Coordinates of all heavy atoms in Angstrom, one line a residue:
Chain B
K31 N 97.2 -37.0 -12.2 CA 96.8 -35.6 -11.9 C 97.0 -34.8 -13.2 O 98.1 -34.9 -13.8 CB 97.6 -35.0 -10.8 CG 97.0 -33.9 -10.1 CD 97.6 -33.6 -8.7 CE 97.0 -34.4 -7.6 NZ 97.5 -33.9 -6.3
H32 N 96.0 -34.0 -13.6 CA 96.2 -33.1 -14.8 C 96.0 -31.7 -14.4 O 95.2 -31.3 -13.5 CB 95.1 -33.5 -15.8 CG 95.2 -34.8 -16.4 ND1 95.7 -35.0 -17.6 CD2 94.8 -36.0 -15.9 CE1 95.7 -36.3 -17.8 NE2 95.2 -37.0 -16.8
I33 N 96.9 -30.9 -15.0 CA 96.7 -29.4 -14.9 C 96.2 -28.8 -16.2 O 96.8 -29.0 -17.2 CB 98.1 -28.8 -14.5 CG1 98.8 -29.5 -13.4 CG2 97.9 -27.3 -14.2 CD1 100.2 -29.1 -13.2
L34 N 95.1 -28.2 -16.1 CA 94.5 -27.6 -17.3 C 94.5 -26.1 -17.1 O 94.2 -25.6 -16.1 CB 93.0 -28.1 -17.5 CG 92.8 -29.6 -17.5 CD1 91.3 -29.9 -17.6 CD2 93.6 -30.2 -18.7
S35 N 94.9 -25.5 -18.2 CA 94.9 -24.0 -18.2 C 93.9 -23.5 -19.2 O 94.0 -23.9 -20.4 CB 96.4 -23.6 -18.5 OG 96.4 -22.2 -18.5
L36 N 93.0 -22.7 -18.8 CA 91.9 -22.2 -19.7 C 92.0 -20.7 -19.8 O 92.2 -20.0 -18.8 CB 90.5 -22.6 -19.1 CG 90.0 -24.0 -19.3 CD1 90.8 -25.0 -18.5 CD2 88.5 -24.0 -18.8
I37 N 91.7 -20.3 -21.0 CA 91.5 -18.8 -21.2 C 90.0 -18.7 -21.6 O 89.5 -19.4 -22.5 CB 92.3 -18.3 -22.4 CG1 93.8 -18.5 -22.1 CG2 92.0 -16.8 -22.6 CD1 94.4 -17.7 -21.0
S61 N 91.3 -28.5 -7.5 CA 91.4 -27.1 -7.2 C 91.1 -26.4 -8.5 O 91.3 -26.9 -9.6 CB 92.7 -26.7 -6.7 OG 93.7 -26.6 -7.8
I62 N 90.5 -25.2 -8.3 CA 90.2 -24.3 -9.5 C 90.5 -22.9 -9.1 O 90.2 -22.5 -8.0 CB 88.8 -24.6 -9.9 CG1 88.5 -23.8 -11.2 CG2 87.8 -24.2 -8.9 CD1 87.2 -24.3 -11.9
A63 N 91.3 -22.2 -9.8 CA 91.7 -20.8 -9.5 C 91.4 -20.0 -10.7 O 91.7 -20.3 -11.9 CB 93.1 -20.7 -9.2
V64 N 90.7 -18.9 -10.5 CA 90.2 -18.0 -11.6 C 90.6 -16.6 -11.3 O 90.5 -16.1 -10.2 CB 88.7 -18.0 -11.8 CG1 88.3 -17.5 -13.2 CG2 88.1 -19.4 -11.6
G65 N 91.1 -15.9 -12.3 CA 91.4 -14.5 -12.1 C 91.5 -13.8 -13.5 O 91.7 -14.5 -14.5
I66 N 91.3 -12.5 -13.6 CA 91.4 -11.9 -14.9 C 92.8 -11.8 -15.3 O 93.8 -11.9 -14.6 CB 90.7 -10.5 -14.9 CG1 91.4 -9.5 -13.9 CG2 89.2 -10.6 -14.6 CD1 90.9 -8.1 -14.2
T67 N 93.0 -11.6 -16.6 CA 94.3 -11.5 -17.2 C 94.6 -10.1 -17.6 O 94.0 -9.2 -17.1 CB 94.3 -12.4 -18.5 OG1 93.4 -11.8 -19.4 CG2 94.0 -13.8 -18.3
E68 N 95.6 -9.9 -18.5 CA 96.0 -8.6 -18.9 C 94.9 -7.9 -19.7 O 94.8 -6.7 -19.8 CB 97.3 -8.7 -19.8 CG 97.1 -9.4 -21.2 CD 97.2 -10.9 -21.1 OE1 97.1 -11.5 -20.0 OE2 97.2 -11.5 -22.1
S73 N 89.5 -14.2 -18.6 CA 90.1 -14.7 -17.4 C 90.9 -15.9 -17.7 O 90.7 -16.6 -18.7 CB 88.9 -15.1 -16.4 OG 88.3 -13.9 -16.0
R74 N 91.8 -16.3 -16.8 CA 92.5 -17.5 -16.8 C 92.0 -18.4 -15.7 O 91.9 -17.9 -14.6 CB 94.0 -17.3 -16.7 CG 94.8 -18.6 -16.8 CD 96.2 -18.4 -16.5 NE 96.9 -17.6 -17.4 CZ 97.6 -18.1 -18.5 NH1 97.7 -19.4 -18.7 NH2 98.2 -17.3 -19.3
M75 N 91.8 -19.7 -16.0 CA 91.4 -20.6 -15.0 C 92.4 -21.7 -15.0 O 92.8 -22.2 -16.0 CB 90.1 -21.3 -15.5 CG 88.8 -20.9 -14.8 SD 87.5 -21.9 -15.4 CE 86.2 -20.7 -15.6
T76 N 92.8 -22.1 -13.8 CA 93.7 -23.2 -13.7 C 93.0 -24.3 -12.9 O 92.5 -24.0 -11.8 CB 95.0 -22.8 -13.0 OG1 95.6 -21.7 -13.6 CG2 96.0 -24.0 -13.0
I77 N 92.9 -25.4 -13.5 CA 92.1 -26.5 -12.9 C 93.0 -27.7 -12.7 O 93.8 -28.1 -13.6 CB 91.0 -27.0 -13.9 CG1 90.0 -25.8 -14.1 CG2 90.2 -28.2 -13.3 CD1 88.9 -26.1 -15.1
V78 N 93.0 -28.3 -11.5 CA 93.7 -29.5 -11.2 C 92.7 -30.6 -11.0 O 91.7 -30.4 -10.2 CB 94.6 -29.3 -10.0 CG1 95.4 -30.6 -9.7 CG2 95.6 -28.2 -10.2
V79 N 92.8 -31.7 -11.7 CA 91.8 -32.7 -11.6 C 92.6 -34.1 -11.8 O 93.6 -34.2 -12.5 CB 90.8 -32.6 -12.7 CG1 91.3 -32.7 -14.1 CG2 89.6 -33.6 -12.5
K101 N 90.4 -21.0 -25.1 CA 91.5 -21.9 -25.3 C 91.6 -22.8 -24.0 O 91.4 -22.4 -22.9 CB 92.8 -21.1 -25.4 CG 94.0 -21.9 -25.9 CD 95.1 -21.0 -26.4 CE 96.4 -21.8 -26.6 NZ 96.5 -22.8 -27.5
V102 N 92.0 -24.0 -24.3 CA 92.3 -25.0 -23.2 C 93.6 -25.7 -23.5 O 93.8 -26.1 -24.6 CB 91.2 -26.1 -23.2 CG1 91.3 -26.9 -21.9 CG2 89.8 -25.6 -23.4
S103 N 94.5 -25.8 -22.5 CA 95.6 -26.6 -22.7 C 95.8 -27.5 -21.5 O 95.6 -27.0 -20.4 CB 96.9 -25.8 -22.9 OG 96.6 -24.5 -23.3
D104 N 96.2 -28.7 -21.8 CA 96.6 -29.6 -20.7 C 98.1 -29.4 -20.6 O 98.9 -29.8 -21.5 CB 96.3 -31.0 -21.1 CG 96.6 -32.0 -20.0 OD1 97.4 -31.7 -19.1 OD2 95.9 -33.1 -19.9
I105 N 98.6 -28.7 -19.5 CA 100.0 -28.4 -19.4 C 100.7 -29.3 -18.4 O 101.8 -29.0 -17.9 CB 100.1 -26.9 -18.9 CG1 99.4 -26.6 -17.6 CG2 99.7 -25.9 -20.0 CD1 99.7 -25.2 -17.0
T106 N 100.0 -30.4 -18.1 CA 100.6 -31.4 -17.2 C 102.1 -31.7 -17.5 O 102.9 -31.8 -16.6 CB 99.8 -32.7 -17.2 OG1 98.4 -32.3 -17.2 CG2 100.1 -33.6 -16.0
H107 N 102.3 -31.9 -18.8 CA 103.7 -32.4 -19.2 C 104.5 -31.2 -19.7 O 105.6 -31.4 -20.1 CB 103.6 -33.5 -20.2 CG 102.8 -34.6 -19.8 ND1 103.2 -35.5 -18.8 CD2 101.5 -35.1 -20.2 CE1 102.3 -36.4 -18.5 NE2 101.3 -36.2 -19.4
D108 N 104.0 -30.0 -19.6 CA 104.8 -28.9 -20.0 C 105.7 -28.4 -18.9 O 105.4 -28.7 -17.7 CB 103.9 -27.7 -20.4 CG 103.2 -28.0 -21.8 OD1 103.5 -29.0 -22.4 OD2 102.4 -27.1 -22.2
D109 N 106.8 -27.7 -19.3 CA 107.7 -27.2 -18.3 C 107.0 -25.9 -17.8 O 107.0 -24.9 -18.5 CB 109.0 -26.9 -18.9 CG 110.0 -26.4 -17.9 OD1 109.7 -26.5 -16.7 OD2 111.0 -25.8 -18.3
C110 N 106.4 -25.9 -16.6 CA 105.7 -24.7 -16.1 C 106.0 -24.4 -14.7 O 106.5 -25.2 -13.9 CB 104.2 -24.8 -16.4 SG 103.5 -26.2 -15.6
V111 N 105.7 -23.1 -14.4 CA 105.8 -22.7 -13.0 C 104.5 -22.8 -12.4 O 103.5 -22.3 -13.0 CB 106.3 -21.2 -13.0 CG1 106.4 -20.7 -11.5 CG2 107.5 -21.0 -13.7
D112 N 104.4 -23.5 -11.3 CA 103.1 -23.6 -10.6 C 103.2 -23.1 -9.2 O 104.2 -23.4 -8.5 CB 102.5 -25.0 -10.7 CG 103.3 -26.0 -10.0 OD1 104.3 -26.5 -10.6 OD2 103.0 -26.4 -8.9
R113 N 102.3 -22.3 -8.7 CA 102.3 -21.8 -7.4 C 100.9 -21.8 -6.8 O 99.9 -21.8 -7.4 CB 102.7 -20.3 -7.5 CG 104.2 -20.0 -7.8 CD 105.1 -20.5 -6.6 NE 106.5 -20.3 -7.0 CZ 107.2 -21.2 -7.6 NH1 106.7 -22.3 -8.0 NH2 108.5 -20.9 -7.9
E114 N 101.0 -21.9 -5.4 CA 99.8 -21.8 -4.7 C 100.0 -21.0 -3.4 O 101.2 -20.9 -3.0 CB 99.4 -23.3 -4.3 CG 98.2 -23.4 -3.5 CD 97.8 -24.8 -3.2 OE1 98.7 -25.7 -3.2 OE2 96.6 -25.0 -2.8
L115 N 99.0 -20.3 -2.9 CA 99.2 -19.5 -1.7 C 98.3 -20.1 -0.6 O 97.2 -20.5 -0.9 CB 98.8 -18.1 -2.0 CG 99.1 -17.1 -0.8 CD1 99.5 -15.7 -1.4 CD2 97.8 -16.9 0.1
G155 N 104.2 -21.4 -2.9 CA 105.1 -22.4 -3.4 C 104.3 -23.4 -4.2 O 103.1 -23.2 -4.4
D156 N 105.0 -24.4 -4.7 CA 104.2 -25.4 -5.4 C 103.5 -26.3 -4.3 O 103.7 -26.1 -3.1 CB 105.1 -26.3 -6.3 CG 106.2 -27.0 -5.6 OD1 106.1 -27.1 -4.3 OD2 107.2 -27.4 -6.2
E157 N 102.7 -27.2 -4.8 CA 101.8 -27.9 -4.0 C 102.6 -28.7 -2.9 O 102.2 -28.7 -1.7 CB 101.0 -28.9 -4.8 CG 99.7 -29.3 -4.3 CD 99.1 -30.4 -5.1 OE1 99.7 -30.9 -6.1 OE2 98.0 -30.8 -4.7
T178 N 94.6 -21.4 -2.0 CA 94.0 -20.8 -3.2 C 93.8 -21.8 -4.4 O 93.1 -21.5 -5.3 CB 95.0 -19.7 -3.8 OG1 96.2 -20.3 -4.1 CG2 95.1 -18.5 -2.9
G179 N 94.5 -22.9 -4.3 CA 94.5 -23.8 -5.4 C 95.6 -23.3 -6.4 O 96.1 -22.1 -6.3
M180 N 96.0 -24.2 -7.3 CA 97.2 -23.9 -8.1 C 96.9 -22.9 -9.2 O 95.9 -22.9 -9.8 CB 97.7 -25.2 -8.7 CG 98.9 -25.0 -9.6 SD 99.1 -26.5 -10.6 CE 99.4 -27.7 -9.4
I181 N 97.9 -22.0 -9.4 CA 97.9 -21.3 -10.7 C 99.2 -21.6 -11.4 O 100.2 -22.0 -10.7 CB 97.8 -19.7 -10.5 CG1 98.9 -19.2 -9.7 CG2 96.4 -19.3 -10.0 CD1 99.0 -17.7 -9.7
A182 N 99.2 -21.7 -12.7 CA 100.3 -22.1 -13.4 C 100.5 -21.4 -14.7 O 99.6 -20.8 -15.3 CB 100.2 -23.6 -13.7
M183 N 101.8 -21.4 -15.2 CA 102.2 -20.7 -16.4 C 103.3 -21.4 -17.0 O 104.2 -21.8 -16.3 CB 102.5 -19.2 -16.1 CG 102.6 -18.3 -17.3 SD 102.9 -16.6 -16.8 CE 101.2 -16.1 -16.4
V184 N 103.2 -21.6 -18.4 CA 104.3 -22.3 -19.1 C 105.5 -21.4 -19.1 O 105.4 -20.2 -19.3 CB 103.8 -22.7 -20.5 CG1 105.0 -23.3 -21.3 CG2 102.6 -23.6 -20.4
R185 N 106.7 -22.0 -18.9 CA 108.0 -21.2 -18.9 C 108.4 -20.8 -20.3 O 108.0 -21.4 -21.2 CB 109.1 -22.1 -18.3 CG 109.1 -22.3 -16.8 CD 110.3 -23.2 -16.5 NE 110.1 -23.8 -15.2 CZ 110.4 -23.2 -14.0 NH1 111.0 -22.0 -14.0 NH2 110.2 -23.8 -12.9
G186 N 109.2 -19.8 -20.3 CA 109.9 -19.4 -21.5 C 108.9 -18.6 -22.4 O 108.0 -18.0 -22.0
K188 N 107.1 -19.7 -24.9 CA 105.8 -20.4 -25.4 C 104.7 -19.7 -24.6 O 104.7 -19.6 -23.4 CB 105.9 -21.9 -25.0 CG 104.9 -22.7 -25.8 CD 105.2 -24.2 -25.5 CE 103.9 -24.9 -25.6 NZ 103.9 -26.3 -25.0
M189 N 103.7 -19.2 -25.3 CA 102.7 -18.5 -24.7 C 101.3 -19.1 -25.0 O 101.1 -19.6 -26.1 CB 102.7 -17.0 -25.2 CG 103.1 -16.1 -24.1 SD 102.3 -14.5 -24.4 CE 102.9 -14.1 -26.0
Q190 N 100.4 -19.0 -24.0 CA 99.0 -19.4 -24.3 C 98.3 -18.1 -24.7 O 97.8 -17.3 -23.9 CB 98.4 -20.0 -23.0 CG 97.2 -20.7 -23.3 CD 96.6 -21.3 -22.1 OE1 97.1 -21.1 -21.0 NE2 95.5 -21.9 -22.2
K191 N 98.2 -18.0 -26.0 CA 97.6 -16.7 -26.5 C 96.1 -16.7 -26.6 O 95.5 -17.8 -26.8 CB 98.2 -16.5 -27.9 CG 99.5 -15.9 -28.0 CD 99.7 -15.0 -29.2 CE 101.1 -15.0 -29.7 NZ 101.5 -16.1 -30.5

Side-chain angles (χ1 to χ4, degrees):
Chain B
K31 207 166 265 189
H32 292 263
I33 308 168
L34 305 177
S35 178
L36 280 64
I37 302 289
S61 80
I62 186 162
V64 197
I66 63 166
T67 61
E68 68 281 7
S73 291
R74 182 191 292 266
M75 253 185 222
T76 309
I77 298 177
V78 179
V79 63
K101 193 164 166 69
V102 192
S103 344
D104 187 333
I105 57 171
T106 316
H107 302 293
D108 287 356
D109 183 16
C110 58
V111 180
D112 61 279
R113 288 292 178 272
E114 180 177 20
L115 185 145
D156 60 17
E157 211 188 356
T178 57
M180 180 197 295
I181 57 169
M183 195 174 273
V184 176
R185 286 180 199 272
K188 199 174 151 194
M189 247 209 306
Q190 192 180 2
K191 279 211 211 78

